[in-house]
């Protein structure tokens, strides 16, 4: 019998991985609790705070992150996480809310940000966007 993780577990794992990455980079991190929240994490340095929304997928199963264009919140950093194969580090793609909104392929009843559309140096592992957001 093989284990099939549910979406909530995938999302929660993504939040914890992002929190760990931020902590390694010197941020204080708070994780919000609940399923239908606009902000997953708060990253703080000094007196400045950044709002972060995390979207996570399992790369073998998905080719992108489901997200509706009208659900993207201004002044939030979006971290899209690929939970890769066991033994392989997750991949992180960091976008501003403006960049995320542009990347959404919106259909009538669903939207998606395709993995291939963000798999570039502009987004991959670009943690500097969080630092820039702190300065605003």
């Amino acid at each position: 019998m093989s284990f099939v993780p549910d979406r909530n577990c995938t999302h929660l794992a993504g939040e914890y991985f992002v929190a760990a990455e931020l902590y390694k980079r010197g941020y204080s991190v708070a994780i919000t609790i609940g399923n239908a929240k606009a902000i997953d994490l708060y990253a703080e340095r000094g007196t400045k705070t950044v709002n972060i929304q995390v979207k996570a997928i399992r790369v073998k199963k998905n080719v992108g992150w489901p997200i509706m264009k009208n659900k993207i919140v201004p002044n939030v950093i979006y971290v899209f996480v690929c939970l890769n194969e066991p033994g392989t580090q997750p991949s992180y793609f960091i976008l501003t809310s403006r960049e995320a909104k542009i990347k959404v392929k919106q259909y009538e009843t669903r939207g998606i940000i395709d993995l291939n559309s963000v798999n570039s140096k502009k987004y991959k592992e670009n943690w500097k966007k969080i630092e820039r957001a702190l300065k605003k």
Side-chain angles (χ1 to χ4, degrees), residues 37-39 51 53 67-78 95-98 100-101:
K37 54 197 193 292
I39 305 301
N51 300 330
Q53 178 67 31
I67 187 169
M68 297 292 280
K69 193 175 274 197
N70 66 352
K71 297 291 185 184
I72 294 175
V73 180
N75 301 315
V76 171
I77 297 294
Y78 286 80
L95 285 75
T96 64
S97 53
R98 180 181 291 184
K101 198 166 237 180

Side-chain angles (χ1 to χ4, degrees), residues 1-135:
M1 178 165 69
S2 66
F3 173 71
V4 180
D6 69 26
R7 283 187 346 199
N8 288 334
C9 291
T10 298
H11 182 74
L12 191 57
E15 287 181 20
Y16 283 117
F17 275 116
V18 171
E21 286 295 325
L22 291 168
Y23 182 75
K24 287 192 310 188
R25 288 168 168 75
Y27 294 94
S28 294
V29 180
I31 298 175
T32 62
I33 305 299
N35 283 337
K37 54 197 193 292
I39 305 301
D40 291 319
L41 306 171
Y42 296 98
E44 177 185 81
R45 187 176 287 149
T47 60
K48 304 272 185 159
T49 303
V50 176
N51 300 330
I52 299 171
Q53 178 67 31
V54 177
K55 299 289 183 186
I57 58 170
R58 300 180 67 76
V59 77
K60 270 205 161 217
K61 186 177 178 190
N62 301 70
V63 293
W65 298 267
I67 187 169
M68 297 292 280
K69 193 175 274 197
N70 66 352
K71 297 291 185 184
I72 294 175
V73 180
N75 301 315
V76 171
I77 297 294
Y78 286 80
V79 181
F80 296 93
V81 182
C82 269
L83 300 176
N84 296 315
E85 293 296 316
T88 305
Q89 291 293 318
S91 301
Y92 304 97
F93 305 91
I94 297 104
L95 285 75
T96 64
S97 53
R98 180 181 291 184
E99 291 169 332
K101 198 166 237 180
I102 290 169
K103 291 292 182 182
V104 174
K105 290 181 185 175
Q106 186 63 53
Y107 302 98
E108 190 172 325
T109 59
R110 65 182 180 89
I112 190 166
I113 292 184
D114 185 82
L115 172 60
N116 291 327
S117 75
V118 296
N119 195 3
S120 71
K121 288 181 184 179
K122 183 175 181 180
Y123 308 111
K124 192 170 186 179
E125 303 285 340
N126 194 345
W127 298 100
K128 291 177 185 173
K129 290 183 182 182
I130 293 170
E131 190 64 37
R132 285 194 295 268
L134 275 178
K135 295 178 180 173

